[in-house]
């Protein structure tokens, strides 16, 4: 289980401190990030071991970015 915690402290008029916070279960997000990382690694291996290449273009800016194979 993965948890993300956020909080802050506030001083009280009586000189004490109040703590406020929330804890969120981020397990699904972390698992999805790991699955994406593994998928990207498999794609990188496949592209680097073949004559294939991949690229993507940002249609708003016209910027095109390619994989290492696109540079050959």
């Amino acid at each position: 289980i993965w948890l993300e915690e956020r909080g802050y402290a506030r001083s009280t008029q009586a000189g004490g401190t109040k703590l406020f916070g929330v804890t969120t279960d981020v397990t699904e997000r972390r698992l999805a990030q790991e699955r994406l990382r593994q998928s990207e690694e498999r794609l990188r291996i496949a592209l680097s071991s073949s004559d294939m290449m991949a690229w993507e273009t940002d249609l708003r800016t016209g910027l095109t970015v390619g994989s290492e194979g696109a540079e050959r």
Side-chain angles (χ1 to χ4, degrees):
I1 185 166
W2 288 90
L3 300 175
E4 179 179 270
E5 297 179 335
R6 295 180 184 203
Y8 60 95
R10 294 277 192 232
S11 298
T12 66
Q13 290 179 348
T17 303
K18 287 188 176 183
L19 301 175
F20 300 89
V22 63
T23 300
T24 305
D25 182 348
V26 295
T27 303
E28 285 301 315
R29 179 182 357 147
R30 294 295 298 247
L31 293 173
Q33 289 171 338
E34 179 60 20
R35 287 190 300 268
L36 177 60
R37 187 198 65 73
Q38 291 173 353
S39 176
E40 289 172 337
E41 178 67 9
R42 286 191 301 272
L43 177 59
R44 187 193 64 73
I45 291 169
L47 290 174
S48 68
S49 64
S50 68
D51 287 332
M52 297 182 345
M53 63 181 151
W55 67 90
E56 60 183 275
T57 301
D58 183 327
L59 298 177
R60 289 173 292 168
T61 64
L63 178 65
T64 298
V65 178
S67 64
E68 290 179 20
E71 297 169 1
R72 292 184 228 161

